[in-house]
Amino acid sequence: MNTSTPKTNYPALYTLITVFFFWGFIAAGNSIFIPFCKHYFSLDQFQSQLIDFAFYTAYYVGALLLFIFGTLKSSDVVGDWGYKKSIVYGLLFSALGAGAMIIAVEANLYAGMLAGLFIVALGFSLQQTAANPFAILLGDPKTGASRVNLGGGINSFGTMIGPLLVGFALFGSAASITDEQIANLELNKVIYLYVGVGVLFIAAAGLFYFSKKVPAGISKEPMEKADKALRTLVLMTILLGVMFVPVFNSYKSDVAKQIEVLEAEISGQKEQNQTAIATQFEIHSKSFDEKSQELEQLKEGLETERMYWLSGALLVILGGIFFSYVAASKNAEGWGAMQYPQLVLGMLAIFTYVGVEVAIGSNLGELLKLKSFGGLQSSEIAPYISMYWGSLMIGRWAGAISAFNLSREKRMLALVVVPLLAFAVILGVNIISGKDMKPLYYYVVCVVLQIIAFFLTKDKPARTLIVFGCFGVMAMLVGLFSTGTIAIYAFLSGGLACSIMWPSIFSLSILGLGKYTSQGSAFLIMMILGGGIIPPIQGKLSDIIGIHESYIVAVVCFGYLTLFAFLVKGILKKQGIEVDKIESEVSH
């Protein structure tokens, strides 16, 4: 028996994976919360997507603040606190955010609810920064990937049942609640929901704090200097604020108020026209047409202006990353981990990946309201949202197979059985909750296509990204050029495409970073920001060209992820890193 090999601390690991569940549960629950808030507060699609903006921007802000504090102290803040205390602090901070949500709901204030979600996600940022390295610390480093994958599987389970539980909390068990009934629902249901969430956060913090099985996890590692990277990131943050403030202010502008008045007048005229005699109707109709034309012109101008600013926010990210890439290639001093091109391109890949993953799910509810997509009520979309996030679970469960020491035959069998089993679990959970899953039975065809894709990847991150990137592009194109069940299945397949991209992007981005690996990982976590930028952009684009057509954004995102796989493989080869020889060790 080899006593030098550290044993896995399973009690601590099982305690740790509870936070992975929270991340998935709350994030996926937003997909149900978005259409509810849109209807209740009379929001446009962009305004409703601010839920994602607040949630995922907090990840960026939290990681950036930790990087700034660490640079000032010349040490890793989370490592100094210890992973255990960092997770406890993060959970308590999230509980504080849940409290802020309750206060905002009591005040019937949408902006306050966004602030509450922002605070919840700030806590998540701290938890996530600590949880991944902590999982590796709880046993043999060689099997660290399997423990992270276990957490990822639990995270995916949270994303699957999150929409169901949140949908039940907001709409009850009835499957035929109409939008009119939803408009009359009292917000106290949201209060009860976040009271429960806050209690869970505090309970989990207590579980961590008082558990003698969970080690402190203190890590005294120096923070590598990266002054130029820090200045660039701070400048990007300021410019992002500059781009988004005009968009927010536009909702209180004179033009916005004029639009509101016109909409009220037109609505009033519609009611008059229904009861007016024929001659009166003609007089009203003329005035109605003029006002409608004026309203359309005002809306088009305002939406175009907002889209310019949102596009500017995206350009800030793209420009900042491109500048870093070029500047660091000329003079690496002061750039830290960003001197490595694979890391910089990987930051954009993580930004794109999280953005497209969230955007597909968050805009799905609005898409399903179209007559050509079933004309579903808000309360009827939960099974579809659950299947979308469940699709990520299907892929991650399958991706975790390589972490186990299975024979070739057993592994091939598992690659077929595990995804189908995960699909059955999703159906089962939804059916037990009283949802009609018959429209989703034939989605198994898409799962079979993913299984085939798995066999093509051969456990190699670059090949995985290429195969699943192309899978995503094709699925989105099918969805764009079709309607009904085929299009719904295609867009849901975006979850299958995204499912195992994160570990592949992460592995390829930090290869060869050496002493900058920890810092590079922190930069990648910052780029979860994509979940706060890309969904609102798609939301605003949908206000202009339509929700169905707005999914062109997803095509572009999957296109870049495929391109990244080709680019990074060439970059690593130039650095003397033969990816094909080591990919099987770092994949999934």
Side-chain angles (χ1 to χ4, degrees):
M1 181 177 178
N2 185 6
T3 56
S4 63
T5 301
K7 295 182 178 179
T8 299
N9 185 342
Y10 286 108
L13 179 61
Y14 297 149
T15 305
L16 176 63
I17 60 178
T18 58
V19 299
F20 284 83
F21 174 84
F22 283 142
W23 303 337
F25 169 76
I26 300 298
N30 287 347
S31 297
I32 295 294
F33 200 44
I34 284 171
F36 169 73
C37 286
K38 179 177 181 180
H39 195 108
Y40 191 92
F41 292 103
S42 299
L43 310 174
D44 65 20
Q45 189 64 4
F46 168 77
Q47 287 173 305
S48 70
Q49 294 299 307
L50 291 179
I51 289 174
D52 278 334
F53 174 80
F55 193 81
Y56 289 97
T57 301
Y59 274 90
Y60 172 79
V61 173
L64 179 60
L65 288 175
L66 287 174
F67 177 53
I68 292 172
F69 294 150
T71 301
L72 294 176
K73 290 181 62 179
S74 297
S75 64
D76 182 5
V77 175
V78 172
D80 288 346
W81 287 344
Y83 298 134
K84 179 178 180 177
K85 281 187 177 180
S86 295
I87 291 174
V88 170
Y89 294 156
L91 285 166
L92 292 176
F93 209 81
S94 292
L96 182 65
M101 277 288 293
I102 293 169
I103 294 172
V105 171
E106 286 279 13
N108 203 17
L109 187 63
Y110 182 57
M113 295 166 73
L114 294 178
L117 278 175
F118 182 85
I119 296 171
V120 168
L122 272 180
F124 282 7
S125 177
L126 179 55
Q127 294 166 43
Q128 186 148 331
T129 302
N132 286 296
F134 200 16
I136 296 174
L137 184 69
L138 295 177
D140 187 352
K142 293 180 181 178
T143 59
S146 66
R147 292 188 290 278
V148 174
N149 279 321
L150 176 60
I154 297 299
N155 175 270
S156 295
F157 182 69
T159 62
M160 181 191 68
I161 68 171
L164 294 174
L165 295 179
V166 174
F168 181 83
L170 293 179
F171 308 128
S173 59
S176 59
I177 298 176
T178 64
D179 284 339
E180 288 72 25
Q181 289 173 305
I182 290 171
N184 294 324
L185 285 176
E186 297 180 2
L187 282 181
N188 61 357
K189 294 203 173 202
V190 181
I191 293 177
Y192 297 147
L193 173 66
Y194 275 92
V195 166
V197 168
V199 169
L200 286 174
F201 286 146
I202 294 173
L207 182 65
F208 263 88
Y209 184 78
F210 292 108
S211 175
K212 295 181 180 179
K213 297 290 187 179
V214 179
I218 296 174
S219 177
K220 296 289 185 182
E221 291 188 7
M223 177 70 75
E224 298 295 338
K225 293 290 185 182
D227 295 336
K228 292 179 181 178
L230 176 59
R231 286 196 295 270
T232 301
L233 289 169
V234 170
L235 179 59
M236 285 169 59
T237 305
I238 294 172
L239 289 176
L240 283 173
V242 170
M243 295 298 170
F244 271 97
V245 167
V247 178
F248 299 149
N249 289 339
S250 70
Y251 284 91
K252 300 177 182 179
S253 66
D254 292 337
V255 175
K257 292 177 181 177
Q258 190 176 353
I259 289 173
E260 189 176 343
V261 170
L262 279 172
E263 286 178 333
E265 290 179 355
I266 290 172
S267 178
Q269 278 192 305
K270 279 184 178 179
E271 295 178 3
Q272 292 177 25
N273 290 342
Q274 289 175 356
T275 57
I277 60 175
T279 54
Q280 289 176 318
F281 177 80
E282 291 175 3
I283 296 172
H284 285 301
S285 178
K286 183 178 180 181
S287 178
F288 176 84
D289 290 339
E290 290 175 349
K291 289 181 178 180
S292 295
Q293 187 176 3
E294 182 182 359
L295 177 63
E296 192 65 30
Q297 290 174 347
L298 288 173
K299 276 188 172 182
E300 184 178 352
L302 188 59
E303 298 298 348
T304 301
E305 180 184 349
R306 288 169 178 166
M307 194 63 198
Y308 283 149
W309 286 109
L310 287 172
S311 299
L314 182 60
L315 287 175
V316 167
I317 299 296
L318 297 177
I321 289 177
F322 179 74
F323 169 76
S324 302
Y325 182 91
V326 174
S329 64
K330 293 180 179 179
N331 183 7
E333 185 179 354
W335 283 101
M338 291 178 75
Q339 68 186 274
Y340 295 92
Q342 64 265 37
L343 187 277
V344 178
L345 294 177
M347 289 170 67
L348 182 57
I350 289 290
F351 176 88
T352 305
Y353 156 73
V354 178
V356 71
E357 175 188 290
V358 177
I360 293 173
S362 295
N363 287 286
L364 192 60
E366 190 67 17
L367 182 75
L368 294 174
K369 291 182 180 179
L370 298 179
K371 288 185 178 179
S372 57
F373 282 82
L376 302 181
Q377 302 289 338
S378 294
S379 59
E380 296 173 320
I381 68 172
Y384 295 88
I385 301 298
S386 179
M387 182 59 74
Y388 172 72
W389 291 107
S391 295
L392 285 119
M393 185 184 79
I394 292 170
R396 287 169 183 170
W397 281 18
I401 292 171
S402 60
F404 299 93
N405 188 22
L406 300 176
S407 65
R408 184 174 181 274
E409 292 75 16
K410 289 181 178 179
R411 182 181 173 280
M412 292 179 69
L413 179 63
L415 277 177
V416 175
V417 173
V418 170
L420 295 176
L421 177 63
F423 177 66
V425 169
I426 298 167
L427 290 178
V429 169
N430 279 277
I431 291 171
I432 291 172
S433 69
K435 303 298 182 184
D436 179 14
M437 298 301 289
K438 291 180 182 177
L440 290 167
Y441 284 170
Y442 292 104
Y443 184 64
V444 69
V445 174
C446 300
V447 177
V448 171
L449 290 176
Q450 188 201 41
I451 292 172
I452 295 172
F454 266 114
F455 280 100
L456 296 176
T457 64
K458 298 182 179 179
D459 283 345
K460 298 179 179 181
R463 187 191 290 261
T464 296
L465 276 180
I466 292 170
V467 171
F468 279 88
C470 291
F471 181 82
V473 170
M474 289 187 289
M476 295 304 103
L477 288 174
V478 169
L480 277 171
F481 291 104
S482 62
T483 57
T485 301
I486 292 177
I488 292 173
Y489 281 12
F491 288 132
L492 289 177
S493 294
L496 297 174
C498 288
S499 60
I500 57 170
M501 284 186 167
W502 172 280
S504 297
I505 297 170
F506 217 95
S507 298
L508 292 168
S509 300
I510 63 175
L511 274 177
L513 265 59
K515 65 180 181 179
Y516 294 104
T517 299
S518 178
Q519 187 182 94
S521 299
F523 288 159
L524 291 173
I525 294 296
M526 287 182 197
M527 289 297 104
I528 291 177
L529 172 69
I533 300 292
I534 293 178
I537 287 178
Q538 182 177 346
K540 180 50 61 186
L541 188 62
S542 75
D543 289 331
I544 298 173
I545 66 174
I547 187 66
H548 187 189
E549 292 75 10
S550 73
Y551 273 81
I552 187 66
V553 171
V555 177
V556 175
C557 289
F558 281 122
Y560 172 73
L561 292 170
T562 307
L563 176 63
F564 166 75
F566 284 107
L567 292 176
V568 76
K569 194 169 184 179
I571 289 169
L572 291 173
K573 188 174 182 180
K574 287 182 180 179
Q575 295 175 4
I577 302 174
E578 292 294 333
V579 181
D580 289 335
K581 293 181 180 179
I582 62 175
E583 280 181 333
S584 59
E585 299 176 8
V586 299
S587 63
H588 309 315

